[in-house]
Amino acid sequence: MHDYFVALDGRLGHEGAPKFQLWKDNVPNFEYNPTVPYFSMLVPTIDTARYSFLLERNLEVEKAMLFVGHSGVGKSVMIADTIQRLVDGGSWARLDISFSAQTSARRTQETIESKLEKKKKTLLGAPPGKRMVMFVDDVNMPALETYGASPPAELLRQFLDYKGFYDRHKLFWKDITDVVEVCACGPPGGGRHELTPRLVRLHPLAPFNHPTASALRPPLY
């Protein structure tokens, strides 16, 4: 079923009725721009078209999303490209965080707070008139603590559950508004850890597969 989407505008339908349409018929053409760095280029494929569509729809309703896939499949590039298009539209801001084995919960919280506007003493949020996308890459990389939890991931879980966290100095609660989280990770192994159900349950899960042969080979004309 992931090969199709519902064309609500009636494309290929009878008398304007919605119709299932193949994603491959909705992949935009690649336009080469010599001013764009090579490693920043994104060649549209079926996967980038459908997952960027799903990501945009989730962000519209302020729903977090988790992308999972092996290294090199293009999930981080697709997410970054989709977010940048939203930012260029003028109604979104972005906050990028990349986790590593040494990432701590304290450092994660400091990074988030430094990019948010202080609206009140107990309220932080996106810049006025905008919403913010917080993209967390390699969310399952931080080292685990004694009891098997990942403190940075648990901080994100607290934010998603309660829309805020505690001030680390004066211990009062800080609410966070107009911020939507999107994260990506690879499967456990090679320094990556298994995410807890406490965090995963708060995300629609999108598995990013290896590109198909048709996506890797250009069509023959």
Side-chain angles (χ1 to χ4, degrees), residues 87-109:
V87 171
D88 292 341
S91 59
W92 288 86
R94 66 184 299 168
L95 165 58
D96 295 339
I97 305 175
S98 184
F99 280 180
S100 68
Q102 288 75 40
T103 302
S104 66
R106 177 182 293 275
R107 182 57 182 161
T108 301
Q109 183 171 337

Side-chain angles (χ1 to χ4, degrees), residues 139-159:
V139 70
N140 60 342
M141 281 293 291
L144 303 181
E145 46 99 71
T146 304
Y147 300 100
S150 170
E154 289 301 317
L155 181 74
L156 294 178
R157 194 272 312 159
Q158 185 183 55
F159 160 71

Side-chain angles (χ1 to χ4, degrees), residues 79-125:
I79 296 170
D81 180 77
T82 303
I83 292 174
Q84 189 57 49
R85 283 192 280 107
L86 295 174
V87 171
D88 292 341
S91 59
W92 288 86
R94 66 184 299 168
L95 165 58
D96 295 339
I97 305 175
S98 184
F99 280 180
S100 68
Q102 288 75 40
T103 302
S104 66
R106 177 182 293 275
R107 182 57 182 161
T108 301
Q109 183 171 337
E110 291 173 350
T111 301
I112 295 172
E113 290 190 23
S114 68
K115 300 296 184 180
L116 299 179
E117 297 276 342
K118 187 174 182 180
K119 300 178 180 293
K120 297 179 182 178
K121 180 181 178 181
T122 60
L123 179 63
L124 304 173

